[in-house]
């Protein structure tokens, strides 16, 4: 899921158009490989407004995760055509997308040997250092409220938590994020 509304795409089941925090027009991502068959991912029109939720649905291998990775700035835009426009009506780069979004996925890079606090800090790349203490208090309150992660667990190794506890740490990353776009890709897998 992404936070938005959007129009129907040939390969993705998406909702109706909106005005923009992020807008994509006539977007086409092409994947060519010598070892894997080539394919393309067309997104004719997609808009994201603050506070909205979009559910990206489609068949297996239809490009849902590729689309989410493009929107998170994790996949190069070199093989893309079209416009990705930000709130100031300027063309966004891959770095711009990475700066304005946080992605939570089943294969998140989590570090089991590091503490819960360190794992949340790694994902909070846009947070000024002075604000980190308040954000950690916010994360701890969320984790404690769940009943899965006990008080004082911020300093415990992430690997000592249950799979449910680790999934909550992923949610805590988004909870403390200052990024305007939160992307969730099969977090419960």
């Amino acid at each position: 899921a992404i936070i938005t509304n959007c129009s129907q795409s040939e390969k993705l089941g998406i909702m109706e158009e909106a005005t923009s925090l992020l807008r994509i027009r006539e977007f086409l991502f092409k994947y060519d490989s010598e070892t894997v068959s080539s394919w393309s991912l067309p997104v004719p029109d997609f808009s994201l407004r603050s506070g909205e939720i979009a559910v990206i649905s489609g068949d297996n291998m239809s490009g849902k995760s590729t689309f989410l990775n493009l929107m998170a700035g994790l996949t190069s835009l070199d093989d893309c055509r079209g416009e990705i426009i930000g709130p100031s009506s300027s063309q966004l780069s891959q770095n711009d997308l990475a700066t304005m979004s946080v992605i939570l996925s089943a294969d998140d890079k989590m570090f089991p040997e590091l503490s819960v606090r360190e794992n949340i800090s790694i994902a909070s790349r846009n947070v000024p250092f002075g604000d980190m203490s308040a954000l950690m208090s916010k994360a701890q309150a969320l984790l404690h409220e769940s009943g899965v992660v006990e008080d004082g667990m911020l300093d415990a190794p992430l690997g000592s938590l249950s799979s449910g506890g680790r999934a909550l740490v992923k949610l805590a990353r988004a909870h403390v994020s200052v990024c305007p776009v939160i992307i969730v890709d099969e977090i419960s897998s």
Side-chain angles (χ1 to χ4, degrees):
I2 302 185
I3 318 301
T4 195
N5 284 328
C6 44
S7 63
Q8 198 70 345
S9 168
E10 195 173 300
K11 291 192 174 195
L12 301 175
I14 312 178
M15 296 184 235
E16 207 42 52
E17 184 181 341
T19 57
S20 60
L21 169 63
L22 174 72
R23 176 137 194 215
I24 300 168
R25 291 191 297 222
E26 298 303 318
F27 183 83
L28 179 66
F29 173 74
K30 293 179 88 175
Y31 178 78
D32 294 310
S33 171
E34 293 177 14
T35 58
V36 179
S37 62
S38 300
W39 62 274
S40 64
L41 175 66
V43 181
D45 201 7
F46 177 91
S47 295
L48 173 68
R49 205 166 44 189
S50 181
E52 292 182 313
I53 298 175
V55 176
I56 309 301
S57 65
D59 293 334
N60 204 19
M61 303 297 291
S62 64
K64 299 177 301 291
S65 291
T66 299
F67 178 70
L68 296 177
N69 284 331
L70 284 161
M71 294 304 92
L74 299 176
T75 299
S76 172
L77 297 175
D78 292 344
D79 295 321
C80 297
R81 186 186 76 211
E83 295 180 307
I84 303 176
I85 308 297
S88 63
S89 298
S90 60
Q91 180 79 17
L92 296 176
S93 68
Q94 179 180 355
N95 189 54
D96 295 331
L97 290 167
T99 301
M100 70 185 293
S101 64
V102 60
I103 187 166
L104 308 174
S105 66
D107 62 349
D108 268 342
K109 301 300 181 238
M110 304 279 280
F111 303 96
E113 68 282 357
L114 296 180
S115 71
V116 169
R117 179 187 317 275
E118 291 164 327
N119 272 278
I120 293 170
S121 295
I122 287 168
S124 303
R125 63 187 180 274
N126 297 328
V127 176
F129 185 72
D131 296 343
M132 191 57 73
S133 178
L135 291 178
M136 283 302 151
S137 294
K138 188 176 172 183
Q140 185 161 355
L142 172 80
L143 294 171
H144 177 71
E145 185 178 320
S146 72
V148 175
V149 180
E150 301 170 13
D151 279 339
M153 293 293 288
L154 280 179
D155 295 315
L158 180 71
S160 69
L161 300 179
S162 66
S163 60
R166 290 189 302 274
L168 283 169
V169 171
K170 289 179 190 180
L171 291 174
R173 286 176 167 186
H175 188 60
V176 302
S177 172
V178 296
C179 297
V181 178
I182 299 170
I183 300 169
V184 180
D185 186 13
E186 300 182 30
I187 191 170
S188 63
S189 312

